[in-house]
mmCIF file of all heavy atoms in Angstrom:
data_model
loop_
_atom_site.group_PDB
_atom_site.id
_atom_site.type_symbol
_atom_site.label_atom_id
_atom_site.label_comp_id
_atom_site.label_asym_id
_atom_site.label_seq_id
_atom_site.Cartn_x
_atom_site.Cartn_y
_atom_site.Cartn_z
ATOM 1 N N CYS A 14 -20.366 -2.271 20.935
ATOM 2 C CA CYS A 14 -20.752 -2.328 19.526
ATOM 3 C C CYS A 14 -21.285 -3.734 19.246
ATOM 4 O O CYS A 14 -20.586 -4.723 19.483
ATOM 5 C CB CYS A 14 -19.569 -2.008 18.615
ATOM 6 S SG CYS A 14 -19.981 -2.180 16.864
ATOM 7 N N GLN A 16 -21.855 -5.190 16.480
ATOM 8 C CA GLN A 16 -21.297 -5.887 15.314
ATOM 9 C C GLN A 16 -19.911 -6.443 15.574
ATOM 10 O O GLN A 16 -19.683 -7.635 15.498
ATOM 11 C CB GLN A 16 -21.248 -4.946 14.107
ATOM 12 C CG GLN A 16 -22.621 -4.704 13.516
ATOM 13 C CD GLN A 16 -22.503 -4.044 12.177
ATOM 14 O OE1 GLN A 16 -22.061 -4.671 11.220
ATOM 15 N NE2 GLN A 16 -22.888 -2.793 12.097
ATOM 16 N N ILE A 20 -15.438 -2.313 20.736
ATOM 17 C CA ILE A 20 -15.465 -1.030 21.414
ATOM 18 C C ILE A 20 -16.628 -0.989 22.387
ATOM 19 O O ILE A 20 -17.734 -1.411 22.070
ATOM 20 C CB ILE A 20 -15.625 0.132 20.398
ATOM 21 C CG1 ILE A 20 -14.484 0.142 19.399
ATOM 22 C CG2 ILE A 20 -15.736 1.476 21.086
ATOM 23 C CD1 ILE A 20 -13.148 0.508 19.978
ATOM 24 N N TYR A 22 -18.672 1.666 25.232
ATOM 25 C CA TYR A 22 -18.942 3.081 25.460
ATOM 26 C C TYR A 22 -19.491 3.266 26.868
ATOM 27 O O TYR A 22 -20.081 2.360 27.440
ATOM 28 C CB TYR A 22 -19.966 3.587 24.435
ATOM 29 C CG TYR A 22 -19.526 3.390 23.014
ATOM 30 C CD1 TYR A 22 -19.789 2.210 22.335
ATOM 31 C CD2 TYR A 22 -18.807 4.373 22.359
ATOM 32 C CE1 TYR A 22 -19.360 2.027 21.035
ATOM 33 C CE2 TYR A 22 -18.376 4.201 21.056
ATOM 34 C CZ TYR A 22 -18.655 3.025 20.401
ATOM 35 O OH TYR A 22 -18.227 2.847 19.120
ATOM 36 N N ARG A 25 -25.136 4.949 25.898
ATOM 37 C CA ARG A 25 -25.728 4.811 24.563
ATOM 38 C C ARG A 25 -25.522 6.109 23.765
ATOM 39 O O ARG A 25 -25.305 6.077 22.554
ATOM 40 C CB ARG A 25 -27.224 4.495 24.714
ATOM 41 C CG ARG A 25 -27.922 4.257 23.423
ATOM 42 C CD ARG A 25 -27.783 2.791 23.023
ATOM 43 N NE ARG A 25 -28.641 2.539 21.885
ATOM 44 C CZ ARG A 25 -28.201 2.109 20.715
ATOM 45 N NH1 ARG A 25 -26.931 1.843 20.559
ATOM 46 N NH2 ARG A 25 -29.015 1.916 19.730
ATOM 47 N N LYS A 26 -25.572 7.241 24.449
ATOM 48 C CA LYS A 26 -25.378 8.544 23.803
ATOM 49 C C LYS A 26 -23.989 8.630 23.167
ATOM 50 O O LYS A 26 -23.844 9.068 22.025
ATOM 51 C CB LYS A 26 -25.566 9.663 24.829
ATOM 52 C CG LYS A 26 -25.431 11.053 24.268
ATOM 53 C CD LYS A 26 -25.642 12.084 25.364
ATOM 54 C CE LYS A 26 -25.406 13.483 24.838
ATOM 55 N NZ LYS A 26 -25.539 14.487 25.884
ATOM 56 N N CYS A 27 -22.956 8.217 23.884
ATOM 57 C CA CYS A 27 -21.591 8.225 23.341
ATOM 58 C C CYS A 27 -21.462 7.236 22.187
ATOM 59 O O CYS A 27 -20.769 7.499 21.210
ATOM 60 C CB CYS A 27 -20.580 7.903 24.425
ATOM 61 S SG CYS A 27 -20.299 9.282 25.543
ATOM 62 N N GLN A 28 -22.139 6.102 22.296
ATOM 63 C CA GLN A 28 -22.098 5.112 21.227
ATOM 64 C C GLN A 28 -22.691 5.696 19.946
ATOM 65 O O GLN A 28 -22.111 5.572 18.868
ATOM 66 C CB GLN A 28 -22.862 3.857 21.636
ATOM 67 C CG GLN A 28 -22.777 2.735 20.623
ATOM 68 C CD GLN A 28 -23.455 1.466 21.114
ATOM 69 O OE1 GLN A 28 -24.135 1.457 22.131
ATOM 70 N NE2 GLN A 28 -23.261 0.387 20.391
ATOM 71 N N LYS A 29 -23.820 6.367 20.051
ATOM 72 C CA LYS A 29 -24.454 6.990 18.880
ATOM 73 C C LYS A 29 -23.578 8.098 18.307
ATOM 74 O O LYS A 29 -23.463 8.243 17.094
ATOM 75 C CB LYS A 29 -25.826 7.546 19.245
ATOM 76 C CG LYS A 29 -26.884 6.479 19.384
ATOM 77 C CD LYS A 29 -28.238 7.092 19.696
ATOM 78 C CE LYS A 29 -29.290 6.016 19.803
ATOM 79 N NZ LYS A 29 -30.620 6.588 20.014
ATOM 80 N N ALA A 30 -22.934 8.880 19.165
ATOM 81 C CA ALA A 30 -22.081 9.973 18.710
ATOM 82 C C ALA A 30 -20.878 9.452 17.932
ATOM 83 O O ALA A 30 -20.427 10.074 16.970
ATOM 84 C CB ALA A 30 -21.614 10.811 19.900
ATOM 85 N N HIS A 31 -20.355 8.314 18.318
ATOM 86 C CA HIS A 31 -19.159 7.764 17.668
ATOM 87 C C HIS A 31 -19.482 6.943 16.426
ATOM 88 O O HIS A 31 -18.615 6.710 15.591
ATOM 89 C CB HIS A 31 -18.373 6.906 18.668
ATOM 90 C CG HIS A 31 -17.087 6.386 18.125
ATOM 91 N ND1 HIS A 31 -16.854 5.041 17.938
ATOM 92 C CD2 HIS A 31 -15.965 7.016 17.702
ATOM 93 C CE1 HIS A 31 -15.650 4.864 17.444
ATOM 94 N NE2 HIS A 31 -15.091 6.042 17.279
ATOM 95 N N TRP A 32 -20.729 6.517 16.246
ATOM 96 C CA TRP A 32 -21.083 5.601 15.166
ATOM 97 C C TRP A 32 -20.686 6.130 13.790
ATOM 98 O O TRP A 32 -20.212 5.376 12.940
ATOM 99 C CB TRP A 32 -22.564 5.267 15.196
ATOM 100 C CG TRP A 32 -22.953 4.380 14.050
ATOM 101 C CD1 TRP A 32 -23.795 4.675 13.031
ATOM 102 C CD2 TRP A 32 -22.482 3.043 13.789
ATOM 103 N NE1 TRP A 32 -23.884 3.623 12.155
ATOM 104 C CE2 TRP A 32 -23.082 2.604 12.596
ATOM 105 C CE3 TRP A 32 -21.601 2.185 14.443
ATOM 106 C CZ2 TRP A 32 -22.839 1.356 12.044
ATOM 107 C CZ3 TRP A 32 -21.362 0.947 13.894
ATOM 108 C CH2 TRP A 32 -21.973 0.545 12.720
ATOM 109 N N LYS A 33 -20.846 7.400 13.534
ATOM 110 C CA LYS A 33 -20.536 7.962 12.219
ATOM 111 C C LYS A 33 -19.082 7.666 11.829
ATOM 112 O O LYS A 33 -18.799 7.344 10.680
ATOM 113 C CB LYS A 33 -20.778 9.472 12.242
ATOM 114 C CG LYS A 33 -20.913 10.088 10.892
ATOM 115 C CD LYS A 33 -21.259 11.561 11.033
ATOM 116 C CE LYS A 33 -22.437 11.890 10.152
ATOM 117 N NZ LYS A 33 -22.799 13.289 10.192
ATOM 118 N N GLN A 34 -18.169 7.741 12.772
ATOM 119 C CA GLN A 34 -16.763 7.448 12.497
ATOM 120 C C GLN A 34 -16.475 5.948 12.550
ATOM 121 O O GLN A 34 -15.696 5.428 11.775
ATOM 122 C CB GLN A 34 -15.860 8.167 13.483
ATOM 123 C CG GLN A 34 -15.831 9.648 13.264
ATOM 124 C CD GLN A 34 -14.854 10.316 14.201
ATOM 125 O OE1 GLN A 34 -14.809 9.995 15.374
ATOM 126 N NE2 GLN A 34 -14.098 11.257 13.664
ATOM 127 N N HIS A 35 -17.107 5.258 13.472
ATOM 128 C CA HIS A 35 -16.805 3.847 13.686
ATOM 129 C C HIS A 35 -17.366 2.946 12.585
ATOM 130 O O HIS A 35 -16.749 1.933 12.244
ATOM 131 C CB HIS A 35 -17.350 3.403 15.049
ATOM 132 C CG HIS A 35 -17.146 1.956 15.363
ATOM 133 N ND1 HIS A 35 -15.899 1.389 15.514
ATOM 134 C CD2 HIS A 35 -18.035 0.950 15.535
ATOM 135 C CE1 HIS A 35 -16.029 0.103 15.785
ATOM 136 N NE2 HIS A 35 -17.319 -0.197 15.792
ATOM 137 N N LYS A 36 -18.491 3.320 11.980
ATOM 138 C CA LYS A 36 -19.154 2.404 11.051
ATOM 139 C C LYS A 36 -18.301 2.037 9.844
ATOM 140 O O LYS A 36 -18.401 0.921 9.342
ATOM 141 C CB LYS A 36 -20.513 2.943 10.608
ATOM 142 C CG LYS A 36 -20.475 4.122 9.678
ATOM 143 C CD LYS A 36 -21.895 4.537 9.333
ATOM 144 C CE LYS A 36 -21.877 5.793 8.475
ATOM 145 N NZ LYS A 36 -23.236 6.215 8.172
ATOM 146 N N SER A 37 -17.435 2.944 9.397
ATOM 147 C CA SER A 37 -16.587 2.614 8.242
ATOM 148 C C SER A 37 -15.502 1.603 8.603
ATOM 149 O O SER A 37 -14.934 0.955 7.731
ATOM 150 C CB SER A 37 -15.957 3.883 7.662
ATOM 151 O OG SER A 37 -15.052 4.440 8.588
ATOM 152 N N GLN A 38 -15.192 1.459 9.877
ATOM 153 C CA GLN A 38 -14.155 0.531 10.335
ATOM 154 C C GLN A 38 -14.739 -0.735 10.952
ATOM 155 O O GLN A 38 -14.003 -1.636 11.327
ATOM 156 C CB GLN A 38 -13.267 1.217 11.379
ATOM 157 C CG GLN A 38 -12.635 2.495 10.907
ATOM 158 C CD GLN A 38 -11.643 2.247 9.799
ATOM 159 O OE1 GLN A 38 -10.870 1.310 9.850
ATOM 160 N NE2 GLN A 38 -11.669 3.088 8.782
ATOM 161 N N CYS A 39 -16.054 -0.785 11.084
ATOM 162 C CA CYS A 39 -16.721 -1.868 11.808
ATOM 163 C C CYS A 39 -17.188 -2.960 10.856
ATOM 164 O O CYS A 39 -17.638 -2.684 9.751
ATOM 165 C CB CYS A 39 -17.920 -1.282 12.558
ATOM 166 S SG CYS A 39 -18.793 -2.488 13.571
ATOM 167 N N LEU A 120 -9.090 10.000 17.331
ATOM 168 C CA LEU A 120 -10.165 9.115 16.881
ATOM 169 C C LEU A 120 -9.811 8.439 15.560
ATOM 170 O O LEU A 120 -10.151 7.276 15.347
ATOM 171 C CB LEU A 120 -11.484 9.869 16.780
ATOM 172 C CG LEU A 120 -12.043 10.302 18.140
ATOM 173 C CD1 LEU A 120 -13.276 11.163 17.971
ATOM 174 C CD2 LEU A 120 -12.346 9.095 19.009
ATOM 175 N N GLN A 121 -9.092 9.131 14.681
ATOM 176 C CA GLN A 121 -8.616 8.484 13.457
ATOM 177 C C GLN A 121 -7.589 7.404 13.803
ATOM 178 O O GLN A 121 -7.562 6.344 13.180
ATOM 179 C CB GLN A 121 -8.003 9.515 12.501
ATOM 180 C CG GLN A 121 -9.022 10.377 11.819
ATOM 181 C CD GLN A 121 -9.919 9.583 10.876
ATOM 182 O OE1 GLN A 121 -9.610 8.469 10.472
ATOM 183 N NE2 GLN A 121 -11.043 10.164 10.543
ATOM 184 N N ASN A 124 -9.519 4.420 14.818
ATOM 185 C CA ASN A 124 -10.118 3.762 13.650
ATOM 186 C C ASN A 124 -9.106 2.874 12.930
ATOM 187 O O ASN A 124 -9.418 1.745 12.545
ATOM 188 C CB ASN A 124 -10.674 4.798 12.674
ATOM 189 C CG ASN A 124 -11.937 5.447 13.180
ATOM 190 O OD1 ASN A 124 -12.634 4.919 14.024
ATOM 191 N ND2 ASN A 124 -12.223 6.624 12.653
ATOM 192 N N GLU A 127 -8.279 -0.215 14.912
ATOM 193 C CA GLU A 127 -9.343 -1.202 14.720
ATOM 194 C C GLU A 127 -9.136 -1.962 13.420
ATOM 195 O O GLU A 127 -9.288 -3.182 13.361
ATOM 196 C CB GLU A 127 -10.711 -0.522 14.714
ATOM 197 C CG GLU A 127 -11.154 -0.011 16.064
ATOM 198 C CD GLU A 127 -12.442 0.796 15.998
ATOM 199 O OE1 GLU A 127 -12.886 1.191 14.895
ATOM 200 O OE2 GLU A 127 -13.025 1.039 17.058
ATOM 201 N N GLU A 156 -13.858 13.302 24.640
ATOM 202 C CA GLU A 156 -14.654 13.541 23.435
ATOM 203 C C GLU A 156 -15.793 12.536 23.295
ATOM 204 O O GLU A 156 -16.910 12.887 22.995
ATOM 205 C CB GLU A 156 -13.756 13.484 22.210
ATOM 206 C CG GLU A 156 -14.362 14.119 21.003
ATOM 207 C CD GLU A 156 -13.328 14.346 19.910
ATOM 208 O OE1 GLU A 156 -12.122 14.388 20.217
ATOM 209 O OE2 GLU A 156 -13.741 14.455 18.770
ATOM 210 N N TYR A 157 -15.529 11.266 23.488
ATOM 211 C CA TYR A 157 -16.570 10.252 23.350
ATOM 212 C C TYR A 157 -16.636 9.278 24.521
ATOM 213 O O TYR A 157 -17.452 8.377 24.517
ATOM 214 C CB TYR A 157 -16.357 9.441 22.062
ATOM 215 C CG TYR A 157 -16.703 10.208 20.832
ATOM 216 C CD1 TYR A 157 -15.697 10.639 19.981
ATOM 217 C CD2 TYR A 157 -18.013 10.523 20.526
ATOM 218 C CE1 TYR A 157 -15.995 11.357 18.846
ATOM 219 C CE2 TYR A 157 -18.312 11.243 19.395
ATOM 220 C CZ TYR A 157 -17.309 11.657 18.553
ATOM 221 O OH TYR A 157 -17.610 12.361 17.436
ATOM 222 N N LEU A 159 -14.792 6.787 25.329
ATOM 223 C CA LEU A 159 -14.662 5.413 24.847
ATOM 224 C C LEU A 159 -13.733 4.591 25.734
ATOM 225 O O LEU A 159 -12.804 5.110 26.318
ATOM 226 C CB LEU A 159 -14.076 5.407 23.432
ATOM 227 C CG LEU A 159 -14.862 6.142 22.380
ATOM 228 C CD1 LEU A 159 -14.073 6.138 21.074
ATOM 229 C CD2 LEU A 159 -16.201 5.512 22.171
#
Side-chain angles (χ1 to χ4, degrees):
C14 176
Q16 286 193 70
I20 301 291
Y22 302 88
R25 183 86 171 120
K26 182 180 176 183
C27 285
Q28 185 175 9
K29 284 182 179 184
H31 184 245
W32 177 244
K33 198 176 229 182
Q34 290 184 316
H35 178 64
K36 71 180 176 182
S37 66
Q38 304 294 318
C39 183
L120 292 174
Q121 286 294 342
N124 287 338
E127 289 174 347
E156 198 166 339
Y157 287 109
L159 301 175

